[in-house]
Amino acid sequence: MSQHAQHKFNTTQLVKKIVPSLAVNWLAPLLIYNWLRGSVASDTAALAISACVPVVWVIATMLRTRRIDWIGAMGIAGLGVALALSMLTGGGSLPLKLYHPLIAGTIGLAFAGSALAKKPLLLTVLRAAKMGHTARFADPAVHRKLTTFSLLLGLGLMLDAALHVGLAFTLTTGAFLVVSRCVTLGLLLLLLAAVRWGLGRRKAVR
C-alpha cells in the first residue's frame, strides 16, 4: 500500500471514529437536555440525564471492544463525583458544568508535559489506536512532529478548559451547553489549521 493510500486509509478511520463520538458527546446531550428541560424537576436534572448519554456510549463501546477506554472511564468517574457534589450542594448545576473541563484540563496538562519532556503522549495514543506505521515512529522527524502536536493539543485542551470554567460561572445551563460547544469547535478548527500550517511549513523547508 502506497504512503498516500495509507494516509487516506488512516484519515478515513479517524473520521469514522470522530463523527460518532461528536454526535454522542456533543449533539445528543444538547438535544436531550432541551427536550427534557420543561418536563423534569429542574435544569440540573435535565443536564444530569443528558450527561448520561456519553456514559452509556462509553460502557457499550468498552463491552463491544473488550478494551478499557481510560479517558471515557475518567469521564464516568468525573460525572459520578459531579452528581454527588450536586446532590450535596442542594442540586446545583455547577458541578455538572465543571467536571468535563476539569478532566480536559488535566489531559491537556499531561499532553503538554509529555511534549516538554520530549516523550509525546500522542505517540502512545497512536500506538494504542494502531494508527500509522510503527517503524515510522522511530524516525526523529516524526517524533519531533508528534512532540509539537502533543504540545499544541495540550495547550488547546487547557485553554478550552479555562474558557469552559469561565462560561460555567457566567451563563445559564442552556446557554452554557450551546456556547461551550461553539468554543470547543472553534478551538478545534484553530488547532487543525495550526497543524496543517505546521506540516505545510515543514514541507516547504525541505
Side-chain angles (χ1 to χ4, degrees):
M1 184 180 293
S2 68
Q3 184 176 354
H4 175 73
Q6 181 67 34
H7 174 71
K8 184 176 181 181
F9 176 72
N10 288 337
T11 302
T12 302
Q13 277 189 322
L14 186 61
V15 170
K16 286 182 178 180
K17 290 181 180 180
I18 289 178
V19 171
S21 179
L22 290 177
V24 171
N25 291 284
W26 282 18
L27 184 59
L30 180 60
L31 294 176
I32 291 174
Y33 169 81
N34 284 289
W35 179 53
L36 293 174
R37 189 176 178 184
S39 57
V40 294
S42 64
D43 281 358
T44 303
L47 182 61
I49 295 172
S50 66
C52 291
V53 176
V55 169
V56 174
W57 171 267
V58 169
I59 293 175
T61 301
M62 287 194 293
L63 290 175
R64 178 174 57 83
T65 61
R66 296 182 181 180
R67 294 177 61 184
I68 298 177
D69 179 354
W70 292 107
I71 295 179
M74 285 177 62
I76 294 173
L79 178 59
V81 172
L83 288 171
L85 289 175
S86 179
M87 289 186 290
L88 290 173
T89 56
S93 63
L94 188 59
L96 293 170
K97 295 178 185 177
L98 291 178
Y99 86 92
H100 188 272
L102 290 178
I103 292 174
T106 301
I107 295 173
L109 185 62
F111 269 92
S114 72
L116 294 176
K118 306 298 183 182
K119 296 180 179 179
L121 190 56
L122 189 56
L123 175 59
T124 303
V125 173
L126 291 176
R127 281 175 172 167
K130 297 180 180 179
M131 297 183 64
H133 292 291
T134 303
R136 290 192 63 201
F137 294 147
D139 185 343
V142 173
H143 192 277
R144 285 194 297 270
K145 287 182 182 179
L146 292 178
T147 299
T148 301
F149 296 159
S150 291
L151 180 60
L152 288 173
L153 180 58
L155 294 176
L157 285 171
M158 287 190 288
L159 177 58
D160 182 69
L163 292 174
H164 273 62
V165 170
L167 294 173
F169 280 99
T170 57
L171 298 179
T172 62
T173 300
F176 171 80
L177 287 177
V178 175
V179 176
S180 64
R181 280 159 173 75
C182 291
V183 167
T184 299
L185 180 59
L187 289 174
L188 179 60
L189 292 176
L190 285 175
L191 178 63
L192 290 175
V195 169
R196 288 193 63 181
W197 177 81
L199 289 174
R201 188 166 178 266
R202 287 178 181 273
K203 289 178 180 178
V205 171
R206 289 181 183 178

